[in-house]
Amino acid sequence: MSQVEKKTGLLRRTSSSKKPLKEKVVLMYDEIFAKEDPAKNNPRFWDELFLMKVNLEYLETKLETVDGEEVQKIQDNINSLFHHCVQALGEEHQIKVVNALQTLCALFRGVHQKNKSASGFDIINMLMGFDKAEQRMKDLMERLDSLLCGEGSESLKSLCLKLLLCLVTVTDNISQNTILEYVMINSIFEAILQILSDVSSRGQHGYDAVVLLALLVNYRKYESVNPYIVKLSIVDDEPTLDGMGMVVHHALTEYNRQYKDKEEENQGGFFSTLTSMVGSMFIADADEKLSVQTNEAILLALYEAVHLNRNFITVLAQSHPEMDIPTTPTTLTPTTPTTPLGTTPPSLDMMNNPELPLDPNLQTSNLLITFLKYASIVMQDTKDEHRLNSARLCLIILTCIAEDQYADAFLHDDNMNFRVNLHRMPMRHRKKAVDKNIPSRPLVCAVLDLMVEFIVTHMMKDFPMDLYLRCVQIIHKLLCYQKKCRIRLHYTWRELWSALINLLKFLLSNETTLLSKHNIFHLALLVVNLFNMFITYGDTFLPTSNSYDELYYEIVRMHQVFDNLYCMVLRVSTNTGQWKEPASKVTHALVNVRAIVNHFNPKIESYASVNHISQLSEEQVLEVVRSNYDTLTLKLQDGLDQFERYSEQPKEAAFFKELVRSISLNVRKNVSLNTLSQGVLLKEFSTIS
Amino acid sequence: MADAEVSLSPALLHLSPSHAAPPPPPASTSPTTFSCPSSPSSASSSSSSSSSSCCSESSSDCPHHHHHRHPHRPQLQLPPPPNSEQPSSPSASPRSSSPSGSIGSTGSLGSSSEGIGSSGGSSSGEQRGPTPPLDAISEDAMEMDLGADQVIDPEVALKACQEVLLKVKLQNREVPDQQQVDNKQELDDHQQQQQQQEEEDNQQQQHQQDDHHHQQQQQDNQQKQTHPPCTDPTESSGPQWLISPDTSSIKEEDEEEVEEGGSGKDEVKQHGTSSQRDTPPPSSSRLESSSLLSASSSSKQSWLLRLFESKLFDVSMAIAYLYKSKEPGVQAYIGNRLFSFPDSEVDFYLPQLLNMYVHMDTEVGDAISPYLIHRCRGGITFSLLTAWLLGAYSSDMHISTQRHSRGNKLRKLILSDELKPSAPPADPQRGGSVSGSPASSPSNRRCHRRHNSHNVDSTSPFPSPDSPVPGESEVFVSPSRRTHQRSKSDATTASSGFGSGLRRTGSNPRVEAVPEELERLRPQRELVKSLLGIGRRLATLPTKEQKTQRLISELSLLNHKLPARVWMPTAENQHHVCRIPNTQAVVLNSKDKAPYIIYVEVLECDSFETSAVPARIPETRIRSARSAENLDCGGGVTAANANLSTMTSEHRTGSFSTVPNYDNDDEAWATDDIGQLQVEAQTSSSDNISQFSVDSITSLESREPVFIAAGDIRRRLSENLAQTPTSFRRDPEDPSAVALKEPWEEKVRRIREGSPYGHLLNWRLLSVIVKCGDDLRQELLAYQVLRQLQSIWQQERVPLWIKPYKILVMSSDSGMIEPVLNAVSLHQVRKQSQMSLLDYFLQEHGSFTTEEFLTAQRNFVQSCAGYSLICYLLQVKDRHNGNILLDSEGHIIHIDFGFILSSSPRNLGFETSAFKLTSEFVDVMGGLDGDMFIYYKMLMLQGLIAARKHMEKVLQIVEIMQQGSHLACFHGSSTIRGLKERFHMSLTEEQLQVLVEQLVDGSMRSITTKLYDSFQYVTNGIM
């Protein structure tokens, strides 16, 4: 029966010119869109309506096609429809609830589709009527809240979340969605938290809940006080925060896994056929090589949590056994749509299991590690707009983390050693690092590795200046922490030094092209100041005395770069122009590096000539360095260990606006109410009632 | 003998008459009324004790009374004189009313002694007769007492004691004549009669003794009150206990069966409510068994009696007699005497008691079980320890017998938690040392229940009483001290106008109906279960690194449930565990098992069972907590650090106050301020400011450029690095080395700084090693022997130094160990330092002449001597350097007593020497001719002589544990004999000296020691 109905519904859409039999619900819709009160002739009209299977397409198209004047006339009926939808949500009859939810969704969508340019007030007026809007929305939100928090059916909860997601994303710019004002007043924050704190509901709805929360937090973020921001910032209930972390963790893990599968598939091999089958279940277009679509919504949620809530930081370090075992097909229950980046991730069953699995092969992991891996993948290729945004967001999150003292504490915790297999871009001039050999180290080493990796791999024409800035700033913040707390990290600083010097070299050689778009002096200043940190404060955080010698060795070895840089900045700073000021700052910053170069170079040359060696070995140079420290005087520079704290506003506001817009579009595209097929629901509810 | 008979029988008669008159109260109630199952004296003492409240008092007093009593004993003429002239007096009554147990005996006596009055209903006329003699005594005693300004109780107590013994003697003789199988009915009658008699007596007493007037009345009341609920099956079964020896055991088992079987809630409730239930078993069983006493010469008895009554009689002797005596009367007596010893002393012998309980004949078990049950009621700690040990010691039995064994039944009984603390008035152990007082006040009960209800809700690995749940913390924490967290969640929930059916309901303790008692043991058991579970899972991981990672992550999950009403059983003081600093945990070296060490933050409290569980403080508190500590205690942190954190805290106080000001905090987090706070969080940066001020002030102040020498920087770097030379390198293959090397104080300070609870004054750090897959029973045995020897040496003032470390056996293959602090293994010392032991000493303690070195050297010698003796006596094997620790004061400490007595690691013929004494050791002692080496040998001699003097005490520990044990150390038949021989009782001191010389010589020259070390190096990489 329902099948037939569905078919007719579909038919209607494609061949609207013909006049086949109209299903009953469509007739009822037509009645609504007539000017008379449908309940006038049939007092049980509304009762009956919600017993009918919703025809979303018809309703939406109908709303879309109504033109301006007609709207006025049928507004009462639409208001009435909305009102009855809200009332139906309180019905005991689950079918009615489902239909009401879907109808509401169609209403929101249809009205917005129709009135893309209309002001929010018009839309509210059309849906609810100005005078009653407040009450209607209050009722709606209360009903939704109790549905979400009640003991009811899971599919129903899922549908509620879909409705909310639908409502939140009806406009491209979330802040222009005036209806959300009522969602602000009638908060469903607690309902979202409850979903996240409960293991089973988290498994089924966690993803939607987190995305919804991330979007709500971004509603008029900068203009008004958003209660969701306030509330999110003070949540301290660990199970809840942990639940949120788990959802993010899982989504990122899933991404990493898909990427890995793709990669293996590309490399071909015995495993590839199998994984491609699994992979193609999740990824719609298999042509796309190695580019699994990023999930900015979940990343945004992570950002908001890290940025707003200081308790969330602990969740980052919360370890879980790694969850990237290929998931079983049982996860594809009908309730979870299999859209490519659908709003529901394919497998969340691991989270349903409160007991830690006993698989000895599982590497222990935590959210931070998973995030770092994710970042390493995303950063590989920043040409794609989405990936660039993701990479930027990753770096912003890392910035927040690096600024947090507690996070720093566990990043540097000597007892928390992990192997983090970062993804490295295959490049011509280097072999792919063998994964197995990565030693187990404090987490901060992985962060530094990631930064070094980024620096080395993104020196390209289309220079991602802001990413570089963030990257260098993150390193700086970590160094400041180490200096402050006198933590001597056993890290191969040499790799960092040479990466930084190479970066300077790149800036120099592409000066002209880069200068047209970027202030390269700012970046150069930051890089030089990193060296200054090492030079002046190395005694507080370098791990061995040798490492200080090696620093000098590296500087002296690459003195050409510093010399050239000095020449360049000197030249620019003597000219008048927009770069005069920044360039002269770099000249000042270079004072110690130049002192070192000028001090040791002659010594080394004389050592070579005295000993008649043309090419000094590293050991010999180090020897010279060691014996000539005492005659070198350095200048103490101010504020090396100070940094500008991250603040979202005003600098990043534009970025986040754009990001949220793109996420909204994406989510809207993928919120699919239809996937929740009526059949499933009928089956479920027939057993209930 | 005759005297005794006379004196006693009257007593009986005296008792019997009374029952006729009043309507027979339910048979078994009488035992129960006397809450104090403790020593025979208890009842009387309680009656005379001034406290009106309850017997609980009396029992705890018991030991005390006994002590008092001793001085008077001689005057009191033990055994009791059979005077008969005395008129009946009130003081007689306490005796008869005395520990309910007497009922049984009197019952049987009654029938037997009816040589005088043949039937249960004996003539009332005679009743006056019997009492006098005892009366006289008691009166005398009282007079003396008064004269000596003593309390009366001891006397009365003593009297009761005597009486019991007397009866025992009597019975010995009577029983054979008598029909063993008394009609049960008759017995019941007897009991009833007796009880009534008791009541009567009490009343009599009231008239005569004003002192006692008050309590007795109370007692009467109690008795009366308690009559009704006597329907309890267990109670009615009371009489069964009296039945003849053969049947008794069976019946008793049945009875236990009933107890266990009836796990239904009804019964549980009855347990809880009927106070009588608590006490009867001890006494009744005691008497019953006493009635079984086989004939033995009364003279012997009296000597024994004298011994038992003497002040020399201590727990050790009690255990010895319990073990050796085949006479049920003696066993029963001792079973009762146990009540009079301080808990802590008996606790030491708990393994012995339980092993006897599990493996020896029923009589012994019967004698002990009242005490055990009583103590289990008293405290969670004791209950769990007992349950664990019972499980472990039962494991050697055949599987089929094991299921039905007594030990297993008791274990189940304990774990089913039916032995909940008795109702407050009846709980005798209140204020007892270890057990602590059970939750008695109504409010506490509520707490319990609440958290239980929460437990039920939570899906957690183990239940946390209150932790993150706001509603809970409210219960424990007074409103004014409500935590930060609480107020915040208030904020979150309060602002939502509706939707009350949310998670708040989850935490809302609505389910209060759950009986608290069921959950009494659960939190702790769950904790232990999780810890052991972690250990098992870790064992499946291949590398140490993975193990440690997994360990850390699993522990972090545990942390979510803390603080909770759980404790570390190895600790001395009462506390609650509040946090496990999971990143500090480390996996220890072991080939295929995964023992690991965890550090546990605890908050000390008065009683972990009743004190409120501390409220949870979120982890991110750390930042402010750190500064708070500096402000409050201001110690132990480097200047720079302190400076820094002070800055931060000062800055922070502006917006949200630091930890100590919880109350202000509440307000700070009120909803109104949230917006403001958020702004603060976004814009201001406390870190910046503090850094700024510390680091850059100097350079800012002076506009002049500051110059620094590169050489200085380089020098500071190497100096700074040189400052921490003694820490070990981090080695992925040996992660524990670093963790163990870190000085304990340092570690405590560090963890305290990092802990959100660190600012609390009662904060302590504990550590514990969790072992899975290892049988620690042998370790426990070794621990006991070590402790015993240690106390012997202390007593004899021999300055030998040993460090027994606590062992907690949880099953036959798991347990916990108290780690030795500030100690690393010789293996680790060698591997990390790459130098000889002497050089290491010089490095750690300074050159030869420094005080530090000399102290360390003396410590080394004293500990060496101690452990040499122990290794010799116990034949400790497997002495490779991984099993010998060196602490920061220079002591060596042997660990791992997996191979002792008759067992040794494979029979390769290694380690034939008496103990391990390498030339390295001798070097540290200053060489063969050094004074310290001579001192070493002298210490050993003294130690051996002292140990020999108290050999029995040591032997006894081992011997009892051999019962029914399949432990490797008891392999073969000559274990005990061998041990005994090593004490060389027959040698003169001169000969002993020669022996010591020989042992030392032999050990030093032993090739096998070296061989074994190199064998260990080759096979296990232990240096």
Side-chain angles (χ1 to χ4, degrees), chain B residues 188-255:
Chain B
D188 283 356
D189 283 347
H190 270 294
Q191 266 200 322
Q192 290 171 7
Q193 295 160 2
Q194 235 183 326
Q195 183 176 359
Q196 286 153 14
Q197 177 64 48
E198 281 163 15
E199 283 179 33
E200 270 192 8
D201 281 352
N202 286 345
Q203 269 154 10
Q204 275 184 333
Q205 210 178 16
Q206 275 176 20
H207 294 299
Q208 301 205 355
Q209 279 197 322
D210 287 340
D211 292 359
H212 299 173
H213 182 259
H214 192 52
Q215 299 105 351
Q216 296 227 314
Q217 209 164 24
Q218 285 222 336
Q219 240 179 1
D220 285 352
N221 291 343
Q222 265 182 15
Q223 284 180 348
K224 277 165 193 160
Q225 280 167 0
T226 49
H227 285 212
C230 68
T231 43
D232 188 330
T234 48
E235 280 171 2
S236 57
S237 67
Q240 292 175 353
W241 294 51
L242 312 176
I243 290 176
S244 67
D246 319 327
T247 51
S248 79
S249 64
I250 303 159
K251 296 248 174 166
E252 193 233 351
E253 286 220 342
D254 291 346
E255 200 251 357

Side-chain angles (χ1 to χ4, degrees), chain A residues 617-633:
Chain A
S617 73
E618 181 177 339
E619 243 338 286
Q620 287 161 325
V621 176
L622 284 174
E623 190 48 48
V624 177
V625 168
R626 259 178 226 125
S627 49
N628 287 290
Y629 275 125
D630 282 329
T631 43
L632 172 66
T633 308

